[in-house]
Short mmCIF file of all heavy atoms in Angstrom, two decimals:
data_model
loop_
_atom_site.label_atom_id
_atom_site.label_comp_id
_atom_site.label_asym_id
_atom_site.label_seq_id
_atom_site.Cartn_x
_atom_site.Cartn_y
_atom_site.Cartn_z
N PHE A 228 13.71 19.63 6.63
CA PHE A 228 13.86 19.43 8.07
C PHE A 228 14.27 20.71 8.79
O PHE A 228 14.23 20.82 9.93
CB PHE A 228 14.74 18.27 8.29
CG PHE A 228 14.14 16.93 8.30
CD1 PHE A 228 13.84 16.29 7.16
CD2 PHE A 228 13.84 16.37 9.49
CE1 PHE A 228 13.24 15.08 7.16
CE2 PHE A 228 13.22 15.10 9.51
CZ PHE A 228 12.98 14.44 8.38
N GLY A 229 14.82 21.63 7.97
CA GLY A 229 15.51 22.80 8.56
C GLY A 229 16.98 22.69 8.55
O GLY A 229 17.55 21.55 8.53
N GLY A 230 17.67 23.75 8.46
CA GLY A 230 19.11 23.74 8.33
C GLY A 230 19.89 23.08 9.41
O GLY A 230 20.99 22.73 9.24
N GLU A 231 19.27 22.92 10.63
CA GLU A 231 19.97 22.35 11.76
C GLU A 231 19.79 20.85 11.84
O GLU A 231 20.41 20.20 12.72
CB GLU A 231 19.54 23.07 13.04
CG GLU A 231 19.73 24.51 13.07
CD GLU A 231 21.17 24.89 12.87
OE1 GLU A 231 22.06 24.24 13.46
OE2 GLU A 231 21.46 25.84 12.07
N SER A 232 18.98 20.22 11.01
CA SER A 232 18.69 18.83 11.11
C SER A 232 19.94 18.01 10.69
O SER A 232 20.58 18.33 9.72
CB SER A 232 17.51 18.40 10.22
OG SER A 232 17.39 17.04 10.25
N ASN A 233 20.09 16.87 11.41
CA ASN A 233 21.24 15.98 11.01
C ASN A 233 20.70 14.71 10.49
O ASN A 233 21.45 13.63 10.55
CB ASN A 233 22.12 15.79 12.26
CG ASN A 233 21.51 14.94 13.29
OD1 ASN A 233 20.22 14.85 13.29
ND2 ASN A 233 22.25 14.32 14.14
N ILE A 234 19.49 14.65 9.97
CA ILE A 234 18.97 13.41 9.49
C ILE A 234 19.70 12.76 8.34
O ILE A 234 19.83 11.59 8.30
CB ILE A 234 17.34 13.69 9.16
CG1 ILE A 234 16.70 12.38 8.82
CG2 ILE A 234 17.33 14.52 7.84
CD1 ILE A 234 16.42 11.55 10.09
N ILE A 235 20.27 13.63 7.49
CA ILE A 235 21.03 13.06 6.33
C ILE A 235 22.28 12.39 6.86
O ILE A 235 22.59 11.26 6.47
CB ILE A 235 21.38 14.18 5.32
CG1 ILE A 235 20.06 14.75 4.63
CG2 ILE A 235 22.28 13.59 4.21
CD1 ILE A 235 20.38 15.82 3.71
N GLU A 236 22.95 13.04 7.83
CA GLU A 236 24.17 12.45 8.37
C GLU A 236 23.86 11.13 9.09
O GLU A 236 24.59 10.16 8.98
CB GLU A 236 24.72 13.43 9.40
CG GLU A 236 25.42 14.66 8.81
CD GLU A 236 24.47 15.74 8.38
OE1 GLU A 236 23.24 15.59 8.53
OE2 GLU A 236 24.90 16.63 7.73
N VAL A 237 22.77 11.09 9.71
CA VAL A 237 22.35 9.86 10.41
C VAL A 237 22.20 8.70 9.39
O VAL A 237 22.68 7.61 9.64
CB VAL A 237 21.04 10.02 11.21
CG1 VAL A 237 20.50 8.68 11.70
CG2 VAL A 237 21.30 11.02 12.35
N TYR A 238 21.49 8.90 8.29
CA TYR A 238 21.19 7.84 7.40
C TYR A 238 22.45 7.54 6.53
O TYR A 238 22.63 6.42 6.06
CB TYR A 238 19.98 8.22 6.45
CG TYR A 238 18.72 7.86 7.15
CD1 TYR A 238 18.10 8.67 8.04
CD2 TYR A 238 18.10 6.52 6.93
CE1 TYR A 238 16.96 8.30 8.77
CE2 TYR A 238 17.01 6.22 7.53
CZ TYR A 238 16.40 7.02 8.44
OH TYR A 238 15.26 6.64 9.09
N VAL A 239 23.30 8.46 6.22
CA VAL A 239 24.63 8.26 5.61
C VAL A 239 25.35 7.27 6.48
O VAL A 239 26.01 6.31 5.99
CB VAL A 239 25.30 9.48 5.29
CG1 VAL A 239 26.73 9.17 4.89
CG2 VAL A 239 24.68 10.25 4.07
N ARG A 240 25.36 7.51 7.70
CA ARG A 240 26.13 6.62 8.77
C ARG A 240 25.55 5.22 8.68
O ARG A 240 26.28 4.30 8.70
CB ARG A 240 26.03 7.22 10.19
CG ARG A 240 26.88 6.41 11.10
CD ARG A 240 27.07 7.15 12.48
NE ARG A 240 25.80 7.21 13.24
CZ ARG A 240 25.15 8.33 13.44
NH1 ARG A 240 25.61 9.46 12.87
NH2 ARG A 240 24.02 8.37 14.12
N TYR A 241 24.20 5.15 8.62
CA TYR A 241 23.61 3.76 8.52
C TYR A 241 24.05 3.06 7.28
O TYR A 241 24.41 1.85 7.30
CB TYR A 241 22.01 3.90 8.45
CG TYR A 241 21.41 4.43 9.76
CD1 TYR A 241 20.14 4.99 9.74
CD2 TYR A 241 22.01 4.28 10.99
CE1 TYR A 241 19.52 5.38 10.84
CE2 TYR A 241 21.46 4.73 12.14
CZ TYR A 241 20.16 5.28 12.04
OH TYR A 241 19.56 5.69 13.24
N LEU A 242 24.07 3.78 6.11
CA LEU A 242 24.53 3.13 4.90
C LEU A 242 26.02 2.76 4.90
O LEU A 242 26.35 1.68 4.38
CB LEU A 242 24.26 4.06 3.71
CG LEU A 242 22.76 4.28 3.32
CD1 LEU A 242 22.66 5.27 2.10
CD2 LEU A 242 22.08 2.97 2.96
N ARG A 243 26.80 3.63 5.52
CA ARG A 243 28.23 3.25 5.68
C ARG A 243 28.38 2.05 6.51
O ARG A 243 29.29 1.20 6.15
CB ARG A 243 29.01 4.47 6.24
CG ARG A 243 29.20 5.60 5.26
CD ARG A 243 29.77 6.80 5.87
NE ARG A 243 30.11 7.87 4.91
CZ ARG A 243 30.50 9.11 5.27
NH1 ARG A 243 30.46 9.45 6.61
NH2 ARG A 243 30.76 9.97 4.30
N GLN A 244 27.68 1.90 7.56
CA GLN A 244 27.77 0.70 8.40
C GLN A 244 27.42 -0.56 7.63
O GLN A 244 28.08 -1.58 7.86
CB GLN A 244 26.80 0.83 9.62
CG GLN A 244 27.34 1.89 10.64
CD GLN A 244 26.25 2.20 11.68
OE1 GLN A 244 25.10 1.74 11.59
NE2 GLN A 244 26.65 2.88 12.70
N LYS A 245 26.55 -0.44 6.78
CA LYS A 245 26.10 -1.61 5.93
C LYS A 245 26.97 -1.95 4.76
O LYS A 245 26.96 -3.07 4.27
CB LYS A 245 24.57 -1.50 5.56
CG LYS A 245 23.65 -1.45 6.65
CD LYS A 245 22.19 -1.49 6.30
CE LYS A 245 21.29 -1.59 7.49
NZ LYS A 245 19.84 -1.66 7.11
N THR A 246 27.60 -0.91 4.21
CA THR A 246 28.48 -1.10 3.06
C THR A 246 29.96 -1.22 3.35
O THR A 246 30.69 -1.57 2.38
CB THR A 246 28.18 0.08 2.03
OG1 THR A 246 28.61 1.29 2.59
CG2 THR A 246 26.82 0.15 1.55
N GLU A 247 30.34 -1.01 4.58
CA GLU A 247 31.79 -1.02 4.88
C GLU A 247 32.20 -2.14 5.88
O GLU A 247 33.17 -1.97 6.54
CB GLU A 247 32.24 0.37 5.40
CG GLU A 247 32.04 1.51 4.44
CD GLU A 247 32.30 2.88 5.05
OE1 GLU A 247 32.94 2.95 6.15
OE2 GLU A 247 31.93 3.88 4.49
N ILE A 248 31.35 -3.15 5.91
CA ILE A 248 31.68 -4.32 6.82
C ILE A 248 32.94 -4.94 6.41
O ILE A 248 33.30 -5.05 5.15
CB ILE A 248 30.48 -5.18 6.90
CG1 ILE A 248 29.32 -4.60 7.57
CG2 ILE A 248 30.84 -6.57 7.54
CD1 ILE A 248 28.04 -5.42 7.66
N ASP A 249 33.70 -5.51 7.43
CA ASP A 249 34.93 -6.14 7.12
C ASP A 249 36.01 -5.28 6.45
O ASP A 249 36.79 -5.80 5.60
CB ASP A 249 34.63 -7.44 6.28
CG ASP A 249 33.76 -8.39 6.98
OD1 ASP A 249 33.74 -8.43 8.25
OD2 ASP A 249 33.00 -9.12 6.31
N GLY A 250 35.96 -4.07 6.74
CA GLY A 250 37.02 -3.15 6.20
C GLY A 250 36.98 -2.79 4.73
O GLY A 250 37.93 -2.33 4.24
N GLN A 251 35.79 -2.95 4.22
CA GLN A 251 35.64 -2.58 2.74
C GLN A 251 35.75 -1.10 2.59
O GLN A 251 35.38 -0.28 3.47
CB GLN A 251 34.29 -3.10 2.27
CG GLN A 251 34.27 -4.62 2.11
CD GLN A 251 32.88 -5.17 1.66
OE1 GLN A 251 31.88 -4.74 2.28
NE2 GLN A 251 32.91 -5.94 0.62
N SER A 252 36.14 -0.62 1.55
CA SER A 252 36.54 0.72 1.28
C SER A 252 35.25 1.64 1.31
O SER A 252 34.15 1.15 0.95
CB SER A 252 37.18 0.91 -0.03
OG SER A 252 36.39 0.52 -1.07
#
Side-chain angles (χ1 to χ4, degrees):
F228 271 80
E231 301 304 316
S232 173
N233 69 339
I234 191 71
I235 296 177
E236 287 77 5
V237 169
Y238 275 85
V239 166
R240 184 167 69 250
Y241 292 158
L242 289 180
R243 285 173 174 168
Q244 290 170 350
K245 293 185 175 184
T246 59
E247 298 176 15
I248 291 179
D249 298 329
Q251 291 176 307
S252 62

